[in-house]
Amino acid sequence: MNCNCCSVHSSDQICMHKVPIFSSLSPEEMSHISSIIKHKNYQKGELLFSEGDSPRSLIIINEGSVKAFKVTPEGREQILHIFSEGDFFGEQNLFGSQKSPYTAEALAPTGICSFAKEDFYQILHAHPGIAIKIIETLGERIARMEDTMQSIGVRNLDSRISGLLLDFADKYGKVVPEGILIQLPVSREGMANYLGIARETISRKLGQLEAEGLIHSVNNKNILLKNREAMNTLAGKDC
Amino acid sequence: MNCNCCSVHSSDQICMHKVPIFSSLSPEEMSHISSIIKHKNYQKGELLFSEGDSPRSLIIINEGSVKAFKVTPEGREQILHIFSEGDFFGEQNLFGSQKSPYTAEALAPTGICSFAKEDFYQILHAHPGIAIKIIETLGERIARMEDTMQSIGVRNLDSRISGLLLDFADKYGKVVPEGILIQLPVSREGMANYLGIARETISRKLGQLEAEGLIHSVNNKNILLKNREAMNTLAGKDC
DNA sequence: CGCGAGCTTGAACATTATCAAGGCAAGTGG
DNA sequence: CCACTTGCCTTGATAATGTTCAAGCTCGCG
């Protein structure tokens, strides 16, 4: 399992280089750390861990995507995050011996790298630079969640949906001549569960947006964003 | 300004000891760090910084409380956090040279301690233990925000209001013979802005809860929680 | 005592959820 | 290759819920 050279083709190296938190390390440090990484693959629908588990490892996504969700008392899924290539999560699993606050499920065939809790503590003590990178990244995540919380305060549902589409456009969009083609990581139901609304409402609202000429629903997995400017205005992001 | 001994009466020391992130330090380390802390006091309604500013310092609350909010495109205030004694915030100001994502306003006469960005980087490199504590604390905050996001997915408003009251009970409650007396840090309007709903709706819902015998609204600043168990059930926290 | 901020209450209105039925598309098996 | 099945999405009608606007109230304070 241990790679005895620094081959750039090692899948360990792939993980390391995709994640900014390791960018401050020297090549020797990287190769030491990559020797303690574990790998695993998941199929679509498979659970990485469940709410309440104590998996005690930090997970970095190498390929694919993962949704993190809680189940509400009424039995609905509330999606909290959608992680994809290069994202890491599970830091709550490492520290404070807390239980995982959410369930993590693969949205597509997904490959991950993970560190055990003990190893990670060692690394942090030896390389304060990594800790700072992690703090920065967590700070960014908090800022993004604060954005989400604000958008929830926006009563206008249209704004929230536009905001979600814009987020997806940044993360999963490809620029094409007609606009931005968004490859949706989740179904309509997933979007509804992300926004905390009913499936049917998403359908209706997307229908409206299409009627207004802002988007074109290519199929259930792809949406073409035709007018980003108008979308920004709707989302209230240009004030 | 610099305290040349380790007097426990120094207000620097007060800050240090109220915040768990410094708990791993030796007395000498503490006194060094406390020598670079700055202090400031704010009156109710005063702004610590505004959304978009780059204050570049980490703030620890010594006394009082602070609300962090964004203004929605419609002009409503969306409260993101309510910080009180012992909490720290502004980590986004330190790292990544980002702009502050929210405005911070004192809810009461408030005293703070702060670190400048440069000093804090030094401290982190010299004391990895602090970095780990900060990562833990940020992880907890993320977990709390995830709870909040879930509760937003709960369509039942009663649940969300009950959840808020329970949170307040933990943080601002005093046990009295009749139950738990909550000293509200914010007005009804503040609660509404926290939950992203209308003032009037909070009034009506609190009225219902009072009619049901779960709470007693002593006055606008205090609420008596008479039946915590029933409240937990309503909030859906006992599943 | 009178004023004002913040809270409560009422009624009409707007929006979204829910329930129900139908459609579309991909995959399966004969 | 076609009919069938299954999963997901759309659309319609109705009910529930919260918002908004307007008016009146209450408590603390000068």
Side-chain angles (χ1 to χ4, degrees):
Chain A
M1 274 306 189
N2 199 330
C3 77
N4 44 9
C5 70
C6 295
S7 161
V8 290
H9 297 298
S10 153
S11 56
D12 297 327
Q13 295 290 332
I14 293 177
C15 272
M16 306 279 304
H17 285 104
K18 277 187 180 163
V19 184
I21 56 178
F22 297 114
S23 60
S24 63
L25 297 182
S26 69
E28 305 85 58
E29 291 172 327
M30 280 213 185
S31 77
H32 166 248
I33 290 180
S34 61
S35 70
I36 56 175
I37 289 179
K38 290 192 185 70
H39 297 271
K40 203 161 178 186
N41 291 302
Y42 296 89
Q43 299 184 336
K44 175 176 174 172
E46 240 184 306
L47 300 184
L48 284 74
F49 53 79
S50 295
E51 189 175 344
D53 284 0
S54 304
R56 301 190 165 272
S57 56
L58 184 88
I59 293 170
I60 302 169
I61 299 184
N62 204 12
E63 190 186 358
S65 58
V66 169
K67 71 174 172 185
F69 65 92
K70 286 169 177 276
V71 177
T72 69
E74 300 110 318
R76 233 176 37 79
E77 241 179 47
Q78 176 63 44
I79 297 181
L80 301 171
H81 310 280
I82 295 176
F83 298 114
S84 42
E85 200 177 304
D87 290 337
F88 71 88
F89 61 97
E91 66 286 340
Q92 305 93 330
N93 304 331
L94 294 181
F95 305 102
S97 75
Q98 297 153 2
K99 290 183 175 176
S100 172
Y102 51 72
T103 301
E105 178 186 325
L107 287 172
T110 299
I112 63 149
C113 304
S114 68
F115 290 90
K117 178 187 171 85
E118 310 76 42
D119 294 330
F120 208 71
Y121 261 87
Q122 266 196 337
I123 293 171
L124 283 188
H125 272 104
H127 307 289
I130 292 184
I132 291 180
K133 286 278 179 191
I134 291 181
I135 293 175
E136 287 180 21
T137 310
L138 293 181
E140 283 166 22
R141 185 173 310 162
I142 289 178
R144 227 179 309 132
M145 291 179 75
E146 285 166 344
D147 267 341
T148 303
M149 286 178 66
Q150 180 211 30
S151 79
I152 282 158
V154 176
R155 299 225 190 63
N156 188 346
L157 234 194
D158 293 346
S159 301
R160 291 172 55 194
I161 292 177
S162 307
L164 181 64
L165 288 177
L166 287 169
D167 284 349
F168 280 165
D170 287 339
K171 216 170 173 187
Y172 308 103
K174 278 185 187 172
V175 176
V176 293
E178 301 90 342
I180 302 172
L181 185 65
I182 304 171
Q183 300 176 296
L184 297 173
V186 293
S187 64
R188 302 290 144 110
E189 177 154 25
M191 288 199 265
N193 287 341
Y194 200 72
L195 294 172
I197 60 176
R199 275 193 308 289
E200 296 93 326
T201 306
I202 275 275
S203 275
R204 284 186 247 267
K205 293 295 184 184
L206 289 180
Q208 278 178 27
L209 288 175
E210 182 146 17
E212 292 165 13
L214 295 184
I215 64 171
H216 174 62
S217 181
V218 180
N219 59 44
N220 292 336
K221 285 288 171 192
N222 297 78
I223 286 182
L224 176 67
L225 192 59
K226 290 162 74 178
N227 189 338
R228 183 169 189 146
E229 292 314 307
M231 213 66 169
N232 269 317
T233 308
L234 248 182
K237 290 199 173 172
D238 50 0
C239 304
Chain B
M1 272 304 192
N2 199 331
C3 77
N4 45 8
C5 70
C6 297
S7 161
V8 290
H9 297 298
S10 152
S11 57
D12 296 326
Q13 296 290 331
I14 293 176
C15 272
M16 307 278 306
H17 285 105
K18 277 185 180 166
V19 184
I21 57 177
F22 297 113
S23 60
S24 63
L25 298 181
S26 69
E28 306 87 55
E29 292 172 326
M30 281 214 187
S31 76
H32 167 247
I33 291 180
S34 59
S35 70
I36 56 175
I37 289 179
K38 290 191 185 70
H39 297 271
K40 201 160 178 186
N41 291 304
Y42 296 89
Q43 299 185 338
K44 175 175 175 171
E46 238 182 308
L47 300 185
L48 284 75
F49 53 80
S50 295
E51 189 175 344
D53 284 0
S54 305
R56 302 192 163 269
S57 56
L58 183 89
I59 293 169
I60 302 168
I61 299 183
N62 206 12
E63 189 186 0
S65 59
V66 169
K67 73 175 171 184
F69 66 92
K70 284 169 179 279
V71 176
T72 70
E74 300 111 317
R76 236 177 34 79
E77 242 178 47
Q78 175 64 43
I79 296 181
L80 302 170
H81 310 280
I82 296 175
F83 298 115
S84 43
E85 199 176 304
D87 291 335
F88 71 88
F89 61 97
E91 68 285 340
Q92 304 93 330
N93 304 331
L94 293 182
F95 306 103
S97 73
Q98 296 153 1
K99 290 183 175 177
S100 172
Y102 50 72
T103 301
E105 177 185 326
L107 288 170
T110 298
I112 64 150
C113 303
S114 67
F115 290 91
K117 179 188 171 84
E118 310 76 43
D119 294 332
F120 209 70
Y121 261 87
Q122 267 197 337
I123 293 172
L124 283 187
H125 271 105
H127 307 288
I130 291 184
I132 291 179
K133 286 278 180 194
I134 290 182
I135 293 175
E136 286 180 22
T137 310
L138 293 182
E140 282 166 23
R141 185 173 310 162
I142 289 177
R144 228 180 307 131
M145 290 179 77
E146 284 167 344
D147 267 342
T148 304
M149 285 178 68
Q150 180 211 30
S151 78
I152 283 159
V154 176
R155 301 228 190 61
N156 189 347
L157 235 194
D158 293 346
S159 302
R160 291 171 55 193
I161 292 175
S162 308
L164 182 64
L165 288 176
L166 287 169
D167 284 348
F168 280 164
D170 288 339
K171 214 169 174 187
Y172 307 104
K174 278 185 185 170
V175 176
V176 294
E178 301 91 342
I180 302 172
L181 185 66
I182 305 171
Q183 301 176 295
L184 297 173
V186 291
S187 64
R188 301 290 144 113
E189 177 154 23
M191 289 200 265
N193 286 342
Y194 200 71
L195 295 172
I197 59 176
R199 276 193 308 288
E200 295 94 328
T201 306
I202 275 276
S203 277
R204 284 185 248 268
K205 294 292 183 183
L206 289 179
Q208 278 178 28
L209 288 175
E210 182 147 18
E212 290 165 14
L214 295 184
I215 63 171
H216 174 60
S217 180
V218 179
N219 59 44
N220 291 338
K221 285 286 171 193
N222 298 77
I223 286 181
L224 177 67
L225 191 58
K226 291 162 75 176
N227 189 340
R228 182 168 189 148
E229 291 313 308
M231 212 64 166
N232 268 317
T233 307
L234 247 183
K237 290 199 174 174
D238 50 1
C239 304

